[in-house]
Amino acid sequence: MKRLSVGGFIPDWLNLEDPDLRETQAKCLWDKGWGTELGIRTFQQYLFTVPPVPQSLLAHDPLLGRLVLCDPRPKYAVSSRMAGIRHVELGYGESSIVPWDNRHEDGAEPFWLRAHGGWHNRGRKPSDCRRDCIGDLLAGTAQVGIALCAHDPTLMGRRCMMDLPGSVHCLRRQCVYLHVFNEMQLDVHTSDNATPGVGSVVFRRK
């Protein structure tokens, strides 16, 4: 498969054994400023910090069809800006969003994940989806949502929402969500209602 010269999301239905997969997705984040923000001077130096794609994630997964590199080293306010997502502009600070619990901490190093964009959970309450994530399944976090959109800016469509209940507001403990209304925005729900057509992201990581 021809490597995407400017980086980008590789869907599951393409050849996931492509030796350029790691480089392609790292290039996508590099082009958006991830490496520069970390003080890394060259793409090759940035690529050196990206782990290989785990073999266990390369197998076809009918539920979690998106294989994505997430680099949580830049904090939410920075990574959302680099991905073209409004967040600070909505009045949030760097410490406004926290993990729901220890399982949903993003960590401090790049990692690979398998995810779906929330479609399998449409019309369900975020708290119910989070409760159902057991074993190696996790509820989407803010950083995971940012990574999904960074690799595939078309994921959200023109008017769409997806819940990320692995991350919550530091005080209200209500879940984070991504939505599009002219522009992508990373915001916090004011309720835990089930919304038709909106679902929670689920992922597993290595």
Side-chain angles (χ1 to χ4, degrees):
M1 185 185 75
K2 183 179 180 181
R3 186 173 71 86
L4 303 179
S5 61
V6 293
F9 164 67
I10 296 185
D12 195 7
W13 44 266
L14 292 179
N15 180 14
L16 294 180
E17 295 181 357
D18 178 5
D20 285 336
L21 175 60
R22 172 172 166 266
E23 184 175 350
T24 298
Q25 295 219 9
K27 183 67 160 55
C28 176
L29 299 184
W30 170 263
D31 288 345
K32 288 178 166 59
W34 256 257
T36 304
E37 186 63 38
L38 295 169
I40 300 175
R41 294 186 176 182
T42 69
F43 172 64
Q44 289 303 319
Q45 290 174 335
Y46 178 71
L47 182 62
F48 184 77
T49 70
V50 174
V53 185
Q55 283 296 123
S56 60
L57 294 184
L58 287 172
H60 173 69
D61 189 323
L63 175 64
L64 307 177
R66 292 175 178 262
L67 176 58
V68 170
L69 171 66
C70 180
D71 187 346
R73 288 175 291 181
K75 301 303 181 183
Y76 301 116
V78 176
S79 56
S80 58
R81 171 179 53 80
M82 292 189 295
I85 300 168
R86 289 167 55 86
H87 177 61
V88 173
E89 296 88 342
L90 305 182
Y92 296 109
E94 192 58 71
S95 59
S96 297
I97 293 175
V98 297
W100 168 254
D101 58 17
N102 292 341
R103 291 183 70 228
H104 291 90
E105 291 181 354
D106 295 301
E109 299 297 331
F111 61 92
W112 291 90
L113 63 98
R114 277 280 196 173
H116 67 60
W119 300 280
H120 297 280
N121 286 322
R122 282 177 293 188
R124 302 188 63 214
K125 293 170 60 174
S127 59
D128 290 342
C129 297
R130 183 173 53 223
R131 182 199 61 217
D132 291 345
C133 288
I134 59 176
D136 65 349
L137 292 181
L138 297 164
T141 66
Q143 287 283 20
V144 168
I146 291 168
L148 286 168
C149 292
H151 287 288
D152 182 11
T154 68
L155 172 66
M156 295 289 289
R158 297 184 65 183
R159 292 176 183 267
C160 184
M161 294 172 58
M162 65 182 182
D163 292 329
L164 301 163
S167 296
V168 294
H169 190 270
C170 60
L171 299 177
R172 303 200 302 267
R173 301 293 290 174
Q174 290 161 332
C175 99
V176 173
Y177 72 106
L178 274 164
H179 69 107
V180 175
F181 188 79
N182 297 325
E183 298 177 290
M184 278 195 292
Q185 300 185 10
L186 184 68
D187 209 339
V188 177
H189 277 301
T190 57
S191 68
D192 186 42
N193 294 332
T195 305
V198 179
S200 297
V201 171
V202 171
F203 75 102
R204 57 185 174 91
R205 61 178 289 178
K206 294 292 183 182

